[in-house]
Amino acid sequence: MLTFYTNPMSRGRMVRWMLEELGEPYETVALNYGPDMNTPEYLALNPMGKVPTVVHDGRVVTEVAAICTYLAEAFPEKGLMAEDRAAFYRWMFFAAGPLEAAVVNNSFGWKPPQRRDEGRLGYGNLDRVVRTLAGHLETHDYVADGRFTAADVYIGGHVGWGLQFGTLPAEPAFRAYAARLQDRPAAQSANALDDALAGAR
């Protein structure tokens, strides 16, 4: 029913965490970068030639935020979709758009030619993005509903990586949020599975 295409050194780690939170059986197909992701068979699923990709009952879903949202809605009994859809979608799209773009651009040292050009960027600048997300997490233990949802898998993944690799500042709200999430059994099992997969390659 569920097939998960991934590489353990990719954003697929967030989807692995989501799948472990679901607790549903799934098949893992590990792909190497390069030729494995550019076979005609895989490109028929994901023409971008990237991972992760999930196939569920013949439905193909790519993009991590979309996969997490889809799985939360496909398995409502797991309780991973927020009742407060406004907060859920707002912060999922914030992370998939402004947060990721700002962090990646900053990590490559890219800045707009002039400060006034920040208005043409969807995120403005990294400081604004950090203030926005940290401000929300200062007053909310979780992204929506006051409890853990799929939004915390996706946003928690970004925050955890940002702190680990120094692409996000170690704001107290980020550190506290990451600490709340890292002890979840599903997060630990997902990391163990991907670490083992990485070691076997």
Side-chain angles (χ1 to χ4, degrees):
M1 289 180 60
L2 271 168
T3 305
F4 170 45
Y5 296 85
T6 191
N7 181 289
M9 304 302 292
S10 75
R11 291 170 177 83
R13 292 183 80 103
M14 286 188 267
V15 173
R16 171 83 73 182
W17 179 10
M18 180 66 188
L19 289 165
E20 290 296 301
E21 292 283 353
L22 283 181
E24 291 288 318
Y26 63 91
E27 176 190 8
T28 299
V29 179
L31 301 177
N32 291 315
Y33 287 104
D36 278 6
M37 295 185 193
N38 288 282
T39 64
E41 294 78 14
Y42 187 66
L43 291 175
L45 297 175
N46 189 340
M48 291 286 288
K50 295 174 70 68
V51 291
T53 297
V54 164
V55 180
H56 174 231
D57 288 347
R59 300 177 184 90
V60 179
V61 192
T62 65
E63 314 315 316
V64 178
I67 293 169
C68 290
T69 301
Y70 171 81
L71 291 173
E73 292 183 333
F75 297 90
E77 72 279 6
K78 304 298 182 178
L80 291 168
M81 173 52 74
E83 291 182 17
D84 184 353
R85 295 293 206 277
F88 183 93
Y89 289 121
R90 174 189 178 185
W91 293 106
M92 287 291 273
F93 280 82
F94 178 84
L99 177 61
E100 179 148 2
V103 167
V104 170
N105 285 350
N106 189 71
S107 72
F108 286 128
W110 186 88
K111 297 186 186 310
Q114 300 182 55
R115 187 169 181 81
R116 68 171 182 266
D117 293 329
E118 289 179 355
R120 297 170 60 188
L121 299 173
Y123 61 84
N125 59 53
L126 181 62
D127 288 343
R128 182 175 297 187
V129 168
V130 167
R131 284 199 312 271
T132 299
L133 183 57
H136 182 66
L137 295 175
E138 283 168 3
T139 56
H140 297 79
D141 285 346
Y142 298 97
V143 171
D145 284 4
R147 65 180 181 86
F148 182 89
T149 69
D152 296 295
V153 172
Y154 186 60
I155 295 165
H158 278 288
V159 170
W161 282 355
L163 293 175
Q164 180 180 353
F165 296 108
T167 55
L168 283 175
E171 296 286 329
F174 290 163
R175 295 200 307 270
Y177 179 60
R180 279 192 290 277
L181 301 182
Q182 67 184 6
D183 290 333
R184 292 187 65 81
Q188 293 180 351
S189 64
N191 281 331
L193 286 167
D194 276 327
D195 288 348
L197 186 59
R201 300 182 79 72

